[in-house]
Amino acid sequence: MTTPSSEPDIMDPTLIADPYGGYGRIRELAPLVLGRSADSTPTWYVTRYNDVRAVLADPRFVVNPELTPGAQAVSNRNLMLEMLDLPKEFHPYVSESILDVDGERHTRLRTLVSRAFTARRVHALLPRVEEITSALLDDFGESVELISEFAYPLPITVICELVGIPEEDRALWRTAGSALTSIAPDGKGVAARDLIEYTHGLVEKRRVEPADDLISDLIKVQDEDGDKLSDVELVTMVLGLATAGHETTANLIGNSVLALLGHADQLDLLRREPDRWPAAVDELVRWCSSILITQMRYATEDLELGGRTVRAGEAVQVVVVSANRDPRAFDRPERLDLTREFGKPGDGHVGFGLGAHYCLGAALARQECEVALRSLFDRFPDLTLTEGQPTWLPVPGLRQLSELPLRLY
């Protein structure tokens, strides 16, 4: 598989600056377009809704390149690991998380951790989510920088309490977690080393002093049957949950506030009909989720997709942002429409993924976002943007505000 330099590149500044328009234009070129990923790997961009769903639901596309017949995919991953400037003993922590494995191993790990995200447990967290939200809003003055003072503190507090990370250590998870979840390799090595070493220390502390948290629950599982969960898997699971569990939700809250302030008619609708908030969150995920493109997947055999043959070992990347705005799947997809109906989870947008790797924390993210948005706009009905344009971080594959200054009165 070869690609000329003129073809799409996820690192292209124009795609980073305008992902909706840029990936939308790529989608209209063809169902599959050959381009380059963050590490310059040739990859098929899968841009249309039906094809995106097909890839996400098909177990013949895997996230672990070692399951593919060719050596090139494995070589590309090893090259990416080397770019992190991370000692080899740390490599499994960033390449063997629940997001990076398939098949029986993925099922085993997901089963162990999914008990923390059942509908019952998420609902039980609602009063605490509301309490944290209210306390953050109480601290606002006449103006606020929403990202640092609200959008991040809420989800990081919730997930850290759930996992078992002490309050005094949470600043590390915001700074290092942001670097670790970025597609770009810069800064990942140092962030990964810091978080791995910290998490090992915290696990050992919980072995001596158990608490009512997920780390202690996982240690108990390990003590009862060590074959179910290795030390590396335990630490890697904590890393993945604590970073992915706050970063994407924080970005969604910030993006959603900006979207609603730019659509007064939709915000007025929610004020008149507050029962629409749950469905509104799903439309906001479709319209302005921070996740633009997923990690690479690899074909385990020759497959037909979008009228092309994807050869065994070739890489594909699902472009969520273009699928969620595909006019073949959504009526007037460029319009934010909070009356849009999606049915049950998995039937509509692909903002939380699909299939075996469907987002574990989707229900919690929905709940946090709904509570955050409803509480913010109820408490401050005259909320407005300050003068000037919002600042976006130039991060490939993500739509992420660096700051969002607001006037409250």
Side-chain angles (χ1 to χ4, degrees), residues 352-374:
F352 290 120
L354 189 72
H357 286 273
Y358 182 79
C359 177
L360 263 171
L364 180 58
R366 283 188 177 96
Q367 179 173 278
E368 290 174 341
C369 192
E370 179 187 343
V371 171
L373 297 175
R374 175 169 40 81

Side-chain angles (χ1 to χ4, degrees), residues 168-401:
E168 61 269 21
D169 299 332
R170 291 171 192 170
L172 169 66
W173 289 85
R174 170 161 186 197
T175 54
S178 295
L180 201 59
T181 54
S182 169
I183 289 179
D186 295 346
K188 273 194 174 186
V190 173
R193 186 185 296 110
D194 289 347
L195 290 178
I196 291 165
E197 292 174 346
Y198 169 84
T199 305
H200 267 292
L202 183 57
V203 168
E204 292 310 309
K205 181 178 180 180
R206 285 291 184 269
R207 290 192 194 280
V208 178
E209 301 174 6
D212 182 18
D213 56 39
L214 183 60
I215 293 177
S216 300
D217 289 346
L218 293 173
I219 290 171
K220 184 178 179 182
V221 168
Q222 189 183 52
D223 290 343
E224 291 174 352
D225 186 352
D227 291 338
K228 282 188 176 179
L229 192 66
S230 70
D231 285 344
V232 170
E233 288 173 336
L234 194 160
V235 170
T236 301
M237 190 173 291
V238 172
L239 284 171
L241 291 174
T243 51
H246 80 269
E247 185 78 19
T248 52
T249 306
N251 293 335
L252 175 61
I253 292 171
N255 293 0
S256 296
V257 169
L258 182 61
L260 290 171
L261 288 175
H263 294 79
D265 60 325
Q266 299 299 294
L267 188 53
D268 287 343
L269 173 65
L270 290 172
R271 286 171 170 150
R272 294 193 309 270
E273 303 177 34
D275 289 347
R276 289 190 179 275
W277 270 113
V281 170
D282 266 311
E283 171 66 352
L284 288 163
V285 172
R286 182 196 72 83
W287 199 79
C288 61
S289 171
S290 66
I291 303 297
L292 305 178
I293 190 167
T294 68
Q295 70 194 110
M296 283 192 287
R297 286 170 166 79
Y298 305 89
T300 56
E301 58 185 76
D302 290 356
L303 298 167
E304 295 300 315
L305 181 68
R308 289 185 176 272
T309 299
V310 178
R311 300 295 179 187
E314 290 187 341
V316 302
Q317 279 194 280
V318 163
V319 185
V320 174
V321 65
S322 64
N324 278 338
R325 295 192 176 204
D326 188 347
R328 299 160 188 80
F330 300 100
D331 181 46
R332 299 175 67 190
E334 301 302 319
R335 182 175 185 269
L336 179 66
D337 179 4
L338 301 187
T339 66
R340 202 182 298 272
E341 296 182 358
F342 293 104
K344 64 183 180 180
D347 283 349
H349 65 77
V350 289
F352 290 120
L354 189 72
H357 286 273
Y358 182 79
C359 177
L360 263 171
L364 180 58
R366 283 188 177 96
Q367 179 173 278
E368 290 174 341
C369 192
E370 179 187 343
V371 171
L373 297 175
R374 175 169 40 81
S375 301
L376 177 69
F377 285 106
D378 283 353
R379 180 84 70 96
F380 304 106
D382 297 323
L383 184 72
T384 58
L385 291 169
T386 60
E387 295 180 4
Q389 294 296 316
T391 306
W392 297 97
L393 289 173
V395 182
L398 291 175
R399 188 65 167 163
Q400 181 178 0
L401 285 161

